[in-house]
Amino acid sequence: MPSKMPPMSTSRVTAHGRSRPPALSARTRASVTKRLRTVASAMATATTVAMEQRLTWFPSLDANTRSWVSVLARNGIDAFIEWFADPDSDASPGDVFAAAPPTLARSISLHQTVELVRTTIDVIEEQAHELMSRSDRPPVLDALLLYSRDLAFAAAEVYARAAETRGAWDARFEALVVDSVVRGEADETVLSRASALGWQTTGAVAVVAGQAPSVDLPHDGNLLRRSGRRHGLDLLSAVQGDRLILIAGGTAIDEGQHLAAVGHLTEHFGPDAIVVGPVVDHLVDAHSSAREALSGLRAAVAWPTAPRPVATADLLPERALNGDGHARRHLGRHLYGSLVDAGGALLETLVAFLDQGSSIEGASRVLFVHANTVRYRLRRIHEVTGFNPTDAREAYVLQMAVTLGRLLS
């Protein structure tokens, strides 16, 4: 015997992808709907009682939240009855949540919402068995199965939209904090905002600057934070034009550890240089680190083979040539001055060593000293300045320091 049931595509799903109630004659549907409306209040009352008895966390909610949950439960029952009564209705199960205040999604988690929906559906099933005739139960239970599925999807959609909205606001909030730090306007308000974003660092902080990721791989602050935590970094980030700025913090992390940790995050940047500013003691002091990091990023193009990431101290010559006054003063006064103050013919030895093409024997002949004396003095220069004259790159830094030191003397 051929089946008389209508096909699923025409009877169970609307054009918008929502379920239709089971196919019934108009008289049967009207009769069942009338009886459902008669028992709707009893179902709503039984649902509230069941929530208090079955959900251990429900009684601990504040009175206002419990009241709203009861309202939504009654709305859900009424919406189910109206959906059952009109198969051609465009009403969506998501309309059940429309009346709820936005704060409700923050008071009740998605998992708790699923438990509430499940409890409501279970109670309606129980009440249908108790309050409705045997002939009315099958269409009601079939309809409830379809409606509960749509209701669960609607609840998930509500929380997904809330999460997207919250994520967008958090990203704007985070960008505001990063911008305040970069512009040197970090104060207690900025600290409070950073704390609201999960910033916990009270110690070493450094600013990192690099090229923003491509359009094909957009910036994801949450993913970046998770990557940072795996490597001991507390991160705030923001894209500013074509550059990505990170504020990286950690407990008792020095500059070397910062540099190594940032090295694990290179995939989140574009292909060009990544520059790590000096470590400062607190977030409110991070403007100085940001200034050096951005200066280094602008100058890094002059050292295409630089490590990635690279510390701003390693870009001092390029920064100085690019007009960075802080770099010029550091080279010409701090580095050059430390050699002058150290005495012991260190400056004279460095100049001779560099002028002789980094030849120890050549410097020893010019200075009329033994080659071992030159070697000893070169080691002392390394100890005093932190730069090794026998390394070609670091010798370039020292050469620049001597040149600027003479100009600024």
Side-chain angles (χ1 to χ4, degrees):
M1 179 181 295
S3 173
K4 295 182 179 180
M5 289 296 293
M8 178 71 74
S9 61
T10 59
S11 65
R12 294 297 180 95
V13 181
T14 69
H16 301 288
R18 293 188 289 270
S19 300
R20 291 180 185 271
L24 298 170
S25 67
R27 176 179 292 184
T28 301
R29 188 178 303 281
S31 175
V32 175
T33 300
K34 181 177 180 180
R35 282 187 284 276
L36 278 172
R37 286 174 175 153
T38 301
V39 299
S41 295
M43 288 181 174
T45 301
T47 298
T48 302
V49 172
M51 289 176 182
E52 294 176 347
Q53 294 176 346
R54 302 178 190 180
L55 305 178
T56 56
W57 50 266
F58 185 79
S60 64
L61 297 175
D62 61 85
N64 185 58
T65 301
R66 290 200 306 273
S67 175
W68 269 110
V69 170
S70 299
V71 169
L72 291 180
R74 179 55 192 264
N75 286 349
I77 293 170
D78 290 341
F80 166 68
I81 294 172
E82 296 306 317
W83 171 82
F84 181 88
D86 185 4
D88 298 321
S89 173
D90 288 332
S92 167
D95 297 339
V96 172
F97 303 100
T103 55
L104 194 62
R106 294 193 290 269
S107 303
I108 301 176
S109 68
L110 176 58
H111 175 71
Q112 291 172 330
T113 301
V114 171
E115 288 188 321
L116 291 171
V117 171
R118 182 185 294 119
T119 300
T120 302
I121 299 302
D122 289 345
V123 171
I124 295 176
E125 287 184 355
E126 295 165 4
Q127 292 292 303
H129 281 287
E130 293 179 11
L131 303 177
M132 303 194 71
S133 65
R134 183 174 297 179
S135 62
D136 290 342
R137 294 172 196 166
V140 171
L141 296 179
D142 284 349
L144 189 60
L145 180 63
L146 296 170
Y147 188 80
S148 62
R149 183 193 68 175
D150 285 1
L151 190 62
F153 280 123
E157 186 178 354
V158 167
Y159 277 85
R161 284 200 301 267
E164 288 176 356
T165 301
R166 186 164 56 251
W169 274 108
D170 284 351
R172 295 187 185 99
F173 206 46
E174 189 171 3
L176 180 63
V177 171
V178 172
D179 184 62
S180 297
V181 170
V182 169
R183 289 189 288 111
E185 297 176 358
D187 54 16
E188 292 300 323
T189 301
V190 173
L191 290 177
S192 177
R193 290 172 176 170
S195 178
L197 291 166
W199 178 265
Q200 299 177 345
T201 296
T202 57
V205 179
V207 175
V208 183
Q211 183 183 16
S214 65
V215 176
D216 297 333
L217 184 66
H219 168 60
D220 187 336
N222 290 327
L223 179 61
L224 191 52
R225 274 193 292 275
R226 288 195 296 271
S227 298
R229 289 191 198 101
R230 287 197 295 269
H231 301 289
L233 290 179
D234 202 2
L235 294 179
L236 295 172
S237 63
V239 172
Q240 296 184 341
D242 60 351
R243 64 193 186 192
L244 173 60
I245 308 296
L246 304 186
I247 302 175
T251 304
I253 296 181
D254 60 24
E255 293 190 13
Q257 290 174 306
H258 256 109
L259 199 65
V262 172
H264 296 287
L265 306 177
T266 56
E267 63 187 55
H268 298 279
F269 289 84
D272 292 340
I274 302 172
V275 182
V276 181
V279 172
V280 295
D281 293 333
H282 200 275
L283 185 62
V284 297
D285 303 318
H287 170 60
S288 60
S289 182
R291 181 190 63 234
E292 293 199 32
L294 293 174
S295 170
L297 185 62
R298 289 189 294 269
V301 66
W303 187 15
T305 59
R308 192 170 182 267
V310 59
T312 53
D314 295 329
L315 286 165
L316 282 169
E318 289 78 13
R319 290 167 52 200
L321 291 171
N322 201 40
D324 184 341
H326 295 279
R328 294 184 66 195
R329 285 189 291 274
H330 184 85
L331 287 169
R333 292 177 180 167
H334 177 73
L335 279 187
Y336 180 80
S338 65
L339 289 172
V340 173
D341 295 341
L346 295 188
L347 179 59
E348 181 185 5
T349 301
L350 175 63
V351 171
F353 177 73
L354 295 175
D355 287 347
Q356 295 302 311
S358 298
S359 169
I360 292 176
E361 290 75 13
S364 68
R365 288 194 297 271
V366 170
L367 297 171
F368 302 103
V369 296
H370 195 276
N372 286 339
T373 302
V374 175
R375 291 188 181 94
Y376 168 76
R377 291 176 182 176
L378 293 178
R379 287 196 297 270
R380 284 285 298 139
I381 291 170
H382 190 186
E383 293 172 0
V384 170
T385 65
F387 291 92
N388 183 2
T390 61
D391 178 89
R393 170 67 195 182
E394 296 183 22
Y396 172 57
V397 176
L398 293 170
Q399 179 74 71
M400 183 69 69
V402 171
T403 302
L404 289 172
R406 289 167 173 169
L407 288 173
L408 296 176
S409 295

